[in-house]
């Protein structure tokens, strides 16, 4: 992972940490989605983003998110090296195979 990409990924996780510590679990999830977009081409970062989403879903008592993230976490370990849909936010509310637009502020890290 390129240094600038790694730093952007870590910033999103740090923002999620701060928001979760403040009890803003839903807002934190948004930053986990952004971390997912940044890390999805790197197996460990991709899997970590999904595990963090799993924990977040658990804390929010969101059964759909927990179920979705269990499957996505396992898949991240296996399919990251095969194919990932660009821009996919990784939440259980989206099709895991669907490419999505990449937020403009994240594009420079992924080019």
């Amino acid at each position: 992972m390129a240094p600038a990409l790694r730093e952007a990924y870590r910033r999103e996780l740090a923002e999620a940490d701060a928001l979760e510590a403040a009890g803003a679990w839903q807002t934190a999830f948004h930053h986990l989605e952004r971390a997912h977009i940044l890390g999805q081409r790197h197996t460990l970062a991709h899997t970590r983003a999904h595990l963090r989403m799993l924990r977040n879903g658990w804390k929010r008592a969101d059964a759909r998110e927990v179920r979705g993230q269990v499957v996505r976490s396992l898949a991240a370990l296996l399919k990251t090296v095969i194919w990932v849909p660009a821009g996919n936010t990784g939440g259980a509310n989206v099709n895991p195979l669907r490419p999505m637009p990449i937020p403009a502020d994240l594009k420079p890290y992924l080019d």
Side-chain angles (χ1 to χ4, degrees):
M1 187 180 279
L5 176 58
R6 181 176 26 256
E7 183 56 33
Y9 172 80
R10 288 180 178 165
R11 271 196 311 271
E12 293 298 336
L13 291 180
E15 186 64 28
D17 286 340
L19 289 162
E20 288 175 349
W25 293 94
Q26 191 63 48
T27 306
F29 194 83
H30 170 72
H31 289 279
L32 296 175
E33 290 175 316
R34 291 171 55 83
H36 177 270
I37 292 167
L38 292 168
Q40 72 186 98
R41 297 209 180 275
H42 304 274
T43 301
L44 295 178
H46 189 191
T47 303
R48 182 178 184 193
H50 281 295
L51 291 172
R52 289 289 308 274
M53 289 176 166
L54 172 62
R55 184 182 80 174
N56 182 287
W58 183 268
K59 293 288 189 173
R60 290 185 290 119
D62 184 336
R64 178 180 180 207
E65 194 64 49
V66 169
R67 283 190 308 272
Q69 292 308 326
V70 167
V71 173
R72 285 165 171 79
S73 296
L74 295 171
L77 285 169
L78 302 173
K79 79 171 188 155
T80 297
V81 296
I82 299 170
W83 178 78
V84 292
N88 189 288
T89 56
N93 63 328
V94 298
N95 181 323
L97 304 177
R98 184 177 132 214
M100 299 171 74
I102 298 170
D105 65 317
L106 299 183
K107 278 187 179 185
Y109 300 108
L110 300 171
D111 289 337

